[in-house]
Amino acid sequence: MNTRLVKAQPADVLKDASMIKQKEMMAKHYDRLTDAPQTGAKVASTFVPGNLNELIMCFDLVNNLPEVNAIQSGLRRQSGAYIMEAERAGHSEDVCTYVKSDIGMMLKGNIGPNGKELPKPDVLLLSYTGCFTFLKWFELLREQYKCPTIFLQTPYMADGKVTPNMVQYMVKQLKETVIPTLEEVSGVKFDIDRLREYLKKSAQAEDDLVHILATGKNKPSPIDAYFGGIYYIGPIFGAFRGTDDAIDYYRFLREEVEARMAKGLGPVTPDGQMTEEKYRLVVEGPPNYTSFRQFWKMFYDEGATVVASSYTKVGGTYDYGFRHDPDRPLESLAEYCLGVYTNRSLPMRIDMLSDYINEYEADGLLINSIKSCNSFSAGQLLIMREVEKRTGKPAAFIETDLVDPRYFSAANVKNRLESYFQMVEQKRSGKGAAA
Amino acid sequence: MTKQPVSDIVARCEALYDDLSFSAAREWKEAEPGRKVIAYMPVYVPRELIHAAGMMPLGIMGGGDNLEVIHGDAYYQSYICRIPRSTIELGVSGRLDFVDGMLFPSICDVIRNLSGMWKMLFPDTYVKYFDVPQTYVDEIGGTFYTGEMRELLHDLEKIAGREITDDDIRASIEVYNENRRAVNELYALRAREPWKAPGSEAYLVLRAGLLLPVEEHTRLVREYVAAASAEDRPIKDNSRVILTGMFCEQPPLNLIKSLELSGCYIVDDDFVLVSRWLLGDVPTDGDPVHNLSQAFLHRSMSTAAKYEPDQEEKGQFLVRAVRDTGAEGVIFASTSFCDPALLDRPILQNVLKRADIPFIAFKYAENSGQMQPIREQAGTFVDSIKLWSAA
Ligand code: SF4
Ligand code: SF4
């Protein structure tokens, strides 16, 4: 089972195996999307949290994720111009910048990361999980594309539990509206056995992902579970869950990470192998994408590794035991949507972050508060204080944006981080003195 | 009924509005042992169920511009709207210490997260995030919603220490039907003769409905309608406008007054939506929870916090409101940092453009102080409407 990676050298493994695999997968996927008008493939736009990739695949639809497009635009430094374009078209400066990046991109010809025009969606699958903005976002897209729009409501896990009423509601929506509309749009009849097959594959990749993320408990951690984590979650949160490609990717990655762990190595950064693990952090909130490298560098230059993060749970909280289950296909899709991080109540988020600090033996919590994301940001100051209180570990707060370059102030972030690391040091020496 | 002058009724409503200790609800609660008060946030909760439990529903719309926010800011970044922080202020300053429960309807992510914060901050209070369906098929959204209402009823029974019967709910539905009728009479008067019922007064009368027992509020609305209809007030050369976007965080009273001073007759709005959310009477025969659910699914208002499944229907509520009230334009007044209102705005504006209805837009916060720019903007809008209609 391990044959593929055992032969490779760790240094190139990181770039060469899983990363290259992911790059190829992404490139192929974007080509499938942009070739859709020629190939006749039909396209479903949908969101990352609560995405129903296995179901979408049952109808031979190609999955287009506007959030991923916004991330790509951010990483390519195009989102700034797109956001301005959307604001010129009447969008407020106050609202979610993912939406504006997407709308701006559409207004400027909808050119995907492969330089070709992205197709119009044939259906908008509004799987509404953990963020109200999704609802408005697809109303905005529907206005432009005038295509069928399917609404799948995920009730919020406000009381920290999933009730039968919630699951039944979701299963009913799947059976009575989502599946029939997807059949209609695609012309493909729904085959539950096909869905089971995909779900089985999902669970396989999910097992590996859980294992990979849990390696952050090691000292040093062989992974960075925030900056590196973004790459790790890419395939499973995006358009690949349920595919053989995802299974291969996660097996690759797991083997690489294990090899690194066996050698006592830390994570690999864009500037090479991290040598010393000085700080172990848990991070809450999405990253900034417009200055992603610069942001990450501020961490690894100081020897800070993120050992666990909440952002890597927006597309599923697999570490809490959830797996897609071929024996309960629709229920399991429902439970998947219900459990994603953004659909979890504030007390649940606090529990999770506190657990991470303890289980991953972190030095503290860092919150990256995103200016335009109410779903994550509203309540984070209380989260910070509560986690601090419960764990006795220092917490810090920085503010940036996902894809709006106007809200990334490198000097500010760096300053805050530096004082945070000092705080951690003080805490350590204070503890040392007291002991 | 002894006739009260309009100014007295409005003064009473304004005193209620200004009273950030919620004395009226406190007094109601203290008047009899065992009474309970259940508070709720905008936009909509089925108050009938609370009433049926013998409790008083109390509407909380933030702290307005009179509340000094001392602690609330420590809970929120600068880029989040005001209502959650002033509501937290009301809570941590003890102003809501008499409240037995707090309902957070599903309006947006901010209110949703606030429900969790409330649980952390006030562990002894009953806290419920009240989820409503965003799909409107009877067997799907309807079943879910009746399930949610039954759960709420179950919780209320525990708090009340008694069973809530279907007859209790039916009786409460009737009480609220009567209140809705009264409120609709008020809106009809404003649309017909806006000089008799200015928006700022009507607003206060509506706000009183959040703070008083419903029966008392119905009487008060009727008294106001009667007194305002009878009063001889001069007709001004104002333009009729509809205000929209104010469904959650509320504008300062001064803002509404400023719009009027700049030449607007506000003939419709989305203030205090809970009092008008269900359109028309809810039937009082049959299964009352089912009836409330049906009304929500098929006969309720439109707002940014609610999904509109039909693209053709999107925004038509505004076009219809313009036609029904004879309005000449629409003012989009949205809370700063309010994703639902601000993301909805461009779609609604496109609908209005296609219907040839003029509009303007601005943002506010519940504690906005500077009214001059809004006054100027609204004044220019009114002038342009007049020019436009003269042309
Ligand atoms: S508000 Fe936050 S969670 Fe919602 S779409 Fe925007 S970035 Fe994503
Ligand atoms: S004002 Fe808008 S963003 Fe703020 S709580 Fe209300 S609906 Fe949510």
Side-chain angles (χ1 to χ4, degrees):
Chain A
M1 175 194 148
N2 292 345
T3 46
R4 260 182 247 194
L5 278 176
V6 175
K7 291 180 212 137
Q9 293 302 305
D12 6 24
V13 162
L14 287 158
K15 272 207 173 90
D16 293 346
S18 67
M19 264 195 151
I20 285 180
K21 171 88 187 156
Q22 179 167 163
K23 249 192 163 154
E24 280 170 10
M25 284 158 74
M26 287 296 280
K28 221 163 74 191
H29 181 70
Y30 271 110
D31 285 344
R32 262 187 88 196
L33 272 172
T34 51
D35 291 348
Q38 285 79 48
T39 61
K42 298 217 165 134
V43 174
S45 284
T46 195
F47 292 108
V48 170
N51 91 61
L52 303 176
N53 200 48
E54 300 87 348
L55 192 66
I56 289 173
M57 290 196 301
C58 287
F59 299 96
D60 300 326
L61 292 162
V62 194
N63 181 337
N64 182 26
L65 298 150
E67 292 146 297
V68 176
N69 297 340
I71 292 173
Q72 292 291 337
S73 305
L75 291 170
R76 282 156 216 267
R77 296 178 178 265
Q78 288 161 332
S79 55
Y82 291 158
I83 290 167
M84 303 278 265
E85 185 72 22
E87 288 179 4
R88 268 195 296 276
H91 283 272
S92 165
E93 63 270 30
D94 288 358
V95 300
C96 169
T97 49
Y98 262 11
V99 181
K100 284 185 289 186
S101 174
D102 187 39
I103 302 251
M105 175 168 132
M106 185 173 70
L107 295 172
K108 288 193 153 202
N110 234 357
I111 304 302
N114 60 358
K116 297 185 207 157
E117 189 181 339
L118 286 166
K120 289 195 170 91
D122 296 283
V123 62
L124 295 166
L125 174 54
L126 205 181
S127 171
Y128 150 94
T129 303
C131 167
F132 272 81
T133 297
F134 288 170
L135 195 156
K136 294 289 115 186
W137 191 343
F138 271 17
E139 281 190 347
L140 282 158
L141 292 193
R142 184 183 64 186
E143 187 196 20
Q144 298 303 319
Y145 294 127
K146 307 209 165 36
C147 62
T149 305
I150 309 172
F151 192 101
L152 173 68
Q153 181 180 8
T154 303
Y156 182 54
M157 238 213 275
D159 294 327
K161 58 176 196 271
V162 169
T163 65
N165 193 33
M166 292 175 173
V167 178
Q168 281 155 17
Y169 179 40
M170 293 202 70
V171 169
K172 255 196 217 157
Q173 292 180 79
L174 288 169
K175 274 192 188 154
E176 284 164 44
T177 52
V178 179
I179 291 173
T181 318
L182 288 174
E183 279 182 329
E184 212 172 287
V185 169
S186 65
V188 177
K189 187 112 193 64
F190 176 58
D191 172 1
I192 197 148
D193 290 327
R194 196 171 163 191
L195 177 63
R196 289 183 209 274
E197 209 41 52
Y198 292 141
L199 293 173
K200 204 153 79 195
K201 290 184 183 179
S202 297
Q204 209 177 325
E206 286 156 5
D207 278 342
D208 281 335
L209 172 70
V210 168
H211 195 88
I212 292 156
L213 292 179
T215 61
K217 291 181 186 164
N218 230 68
K219 283 184 184 171
S221 164
I223 60 161
D224 183 286
Y226 188 52
F227 298 103
I230 308 275
Y231 294 101
Y232 302 163
I233 57 172
I236 213 159
F237 284 14
F240 303 99
R241 209 182 56 226
T243 66
D244 290 325
D245 271 342
I247 294 180
D248 285 349
Y249 170 79
Y250 284 100
R251 196 194 311 127
F252 264 45
L253 183 63
R254 179 170 171 175
E255 288 165 0
E256 289 166 13
V257 169
E258 280 174 348
R260 245 181 9 249
M261 199 165 76
K263 292 193 161 73
L265 296 172
V268 172
T269 72
D271 286 335
Q273 181 71 51
M274 237 178 113
T275 45
E276 193 192 356
E277 181 186 274
K278 272 167 76 185
Y279 308 107
R280 297 168 63 81
L281 307 178
V282 169
V283 174
E284 143 75 12
N288 162 273
Y289 284 112
T290 47
S291 304
F292 188 77
R293 282 261 182 124
Q294 194 187 3
F295 193 26
W296 190 354
K297 192 168 164 41
M298 291 179 196
F299 287 69
Y300 61 72
D301 276 354
E302 296 287 337
T305 303
V306 180
V307 291
S309 69
S310 54
Y311 189 60
T312 48
K313 313 295 160 12
V314 294
T317 47
Y318 300 109
D319 56 338
Y320 277 57
F322 173 81
R323 293 290 179 281
H324 283 90
D325 181 358
D327 294 332
R328 303 167 56 249
L330 298 183
E331 290 77 5
S332 136
L333 285 176
E335 284 159 10
Y336 162 70
C337 294
L338 285 158
V340 299
Y341 183 72
T342 43
N343 201 50
R344 294 183 162 235
S345 72
L346 208 98
M348 290 176 92
R349 287 168 65 190
I350 291 173
D351 288 345
M352 191 184 218
L353 293 165
S354 305
D355 286 352
Y356 284 167
I357 291 191
N358 295 329
E359 283 170 22
Y360 288 74
E361 295 183 50
D363 293 301
L365 174 71
L366 182 79
I367 294 182
N368 184 32
S369 181
I370 297 297
K371 181 186 176 282
S372 61
C373 177
N374 283 344
S375 175
F376 261 99
S377 302
Q380 275 176 332
L381 285 162
L382 180 67
I383 291 182
M384 177 174 79
R385 283 198 292 273
E386 196 57 34
V387 172
E388 229 175 0
K389 199 166 84 192
R390 285 199 202 169
T391 61
K393 298 281 166 64
F397 208 80
I398 51 177
E399 295 174 330
T400 69
D401 192 72
L402 280 157
V403 289
D404 193 334
R406 291 172 297 187
Y407 301 116
F408 186 83
S409 157
N412 255 333
V413 173
K414 204 167 169 30
N415 262 338
R416 292 253 183 133
L417 281 177
E418 277 167 8
S419 28
Y420 180 56
F421 295 136
Q422 278 172 18
M423 229 156 86
V424 172
E425 290 290 355
Q426 275 166 15
K427 188 95 188 171
R428 280 181 184 164
S429 55
K431 249 197 182 161
Chain B
M1 190 156 73
T2 48
K3 268 250 155 96
Q4 278 193 66
V6 171
S7 56
D8 283 8
I9 302 171
V10 173
R12 178 172 175 226
C13 294
E14 189 155 5
L16 283 163
Y17 169 86
D18 283 335
D19 175 15
L20 293 169
S21 312
F22 306 99
S23 315
R26 282 177 191 273
E27 282 160 20
W28 179 87
K29 182 171 171 166
E30 279 156 21
E32 269 180 44
R35 279 188 168 178
K36 310 270 188 212
V37 174
I38 304 287
Y40 59 90
M41 303 261 334
V43 165
Y44 173 76
V45 295
R47 296 183 293 181
E48 290 83 349
L49 303 185
I50 303 170
H51 185 268
M55 304 175 185
M56 178 175 160
L58 171 71
I60 303 293
M61 292 260 186
D65 56 347
N66 284 326
L67 180 74
E68 195 190 348
V69 173
I70 302 162
H71 312 283
D73 284 337
Y75 292 88
Y76 287 102
Q77 302 89 310
S78 56
Y79 37 81
I80 289 170
C81 58
R82 297 274 320 166
I83 181 167
R85 71 190 74 212
S86 62
T87 305
I88 289 231
E89 185 72 33
L90 291 173
V92 296
S93 61
R95 289 175 169 92
L96 295 173
D97 57 5
F98 66 104
V99 161
D100 302 283
M102 186 91 173
L103 305 184
F104 296 86
S106 60
I107 313 168
C108 74
D109 299 321
V110 174
I111 298 294
R112 184 197 76 180
N113 291 2
L114 181 60
S115 73
M117 294 171 75
W118 214 266
K119 282 191 179 184
M120 309 287 308
L121 293 168
F122 307 101
D124 299 330
T125 308
Y126 166 68
V127 174
K128 182 160 176 73
Y129 173 78
F130 186 69
D131 221 345
V132 295
Q134 300 276 5
T135 68
Y136 313 110
V137 177
D138 291 347
E139 305 79 56
I140 308 174
T143 308
F144 169 68
Y145 188 45
T146 27
E148 288 299 294
M149 281 195 281
R150 293 260 171 232
E151 232 177 71
L152 174 64
L153 275 171
H154 178 73
D155 293 348
L156 293 173
E157 282 177 336
K158 272 206 285 195
I159 299 171
R162 71 163 172 90
E163 198 198 338
I164 304 166
T165 65
D166 280 358
D167 277 339
D168 292 333
I169 305 171
R170 286 188 198 105
S172 297
I173 288 178
E174 182 43 39
V175 170
Y176 277 93
N177 278 341
E178 193 55 27
N179 186 260
R180 278 185 285 269
R181 283 178 214 132
V183 169
N184 289 339
E185 285 160 25
L186 171 60
Y187 271 82
L189 170 66
R190 286 171 62 196
R192 205 170 52 236
E193 297 166 296
W195 54 93
K196 292 204 165 172
S200 49
E201 288 187 5
Y203 177 68
L204 289 169
V205 173
L206 282 178
R207 283 290 298 259
L210 303 177
L211 308 166
L212 293 174
V214 56
E215 299 83 355
E216 200 176 333
H217 181 245
T218 306
R219 278 195 300 278
L220 183 136
V221 178
R222 292 245 154 85
E223 277 165 20
Y224 174 80
V225 170
S229 308
E231 198 160 289
D232 202 14
R233 284 174 155 174
I235 305 179
K236 292 188 201 141
D237 183 25
N238 281 7
S239 292
R240 291 164 169 259
V241 300
I242 289 179
L243 261 185
T244 187
M246 302 177 150
F247 53 87
C248 182
E249 181 171 320
Q250 296 297 287
L253 188 57
N254 249 338
L255 193 156
I256 306 174
K257 287 183 176 164
S258 297
L259 291 176
E260 293 180 317
L261 283 172
S262 58
C264 298
Y265 278 141
I266 303 163
V267 289
D268 201 355
D269 56 64
D270 57 0
F271 308 139
V272 199
L273 277 183
V274 69
S275 55
R276 296 201 295 153
W277 184 257
L278 303 182
L279 305 168
D281 282 357
V282 179
T284 47
D285 53 349
D287 177 352
V289 174
H290 175 75
N291 291 346
L292 283 169
S293 162
Q294 286 287 302
F296 184 97
L297 295 185
H298 307 300
R299 297 182 302 278
S300 61
M301 295 192 80
S302 296
T303 188
K306 187 176 162 191
Y307 178 64
E308 172 51 68
D310 179 3
Q311 175 61 27
E312 295 300 310
E313 233 339 85
K314 181 74 196 172
Q316 290 306 318
F317 76 97
L318 262 185
V319 177
R320 280 194 288 270
V322 167
R323 305 241 156 91
D324 293 349
T325 58
E328 296 154 284
V330 173
I331 296 182
F332 289 90
S334 326
T335 308
S336 298
F337 306 110
C338 176
D339 259 34
L342 291 167
L343 285 166
D344 217 31
R345 198 172 73 181
I347 312 180
L348 298 181
Q349 290 179 340
N350 287 338
V351 171
L352 293 188
K353 270 182 217 156
R354 282 195 294 273
D356 253 342
I357 298 166
F359 58 83
I360 52 163
F362 60 79
K363 290 189 295 185
Y364 69 90
E366 63 180 10
N367 65 341
S368 293
Q370 252 304 352
M371 292 303 153
Q372 196 53 26
I374 288 175
R375 255 164 94 161
E376 279 168 15
Q377 199 187 347
T380 314
F381 182 53
V382 167
D383 290 344
S384 75
I385 286 177
K386 282 179 192 153
L387 273 174
W388 204 62
S389 53

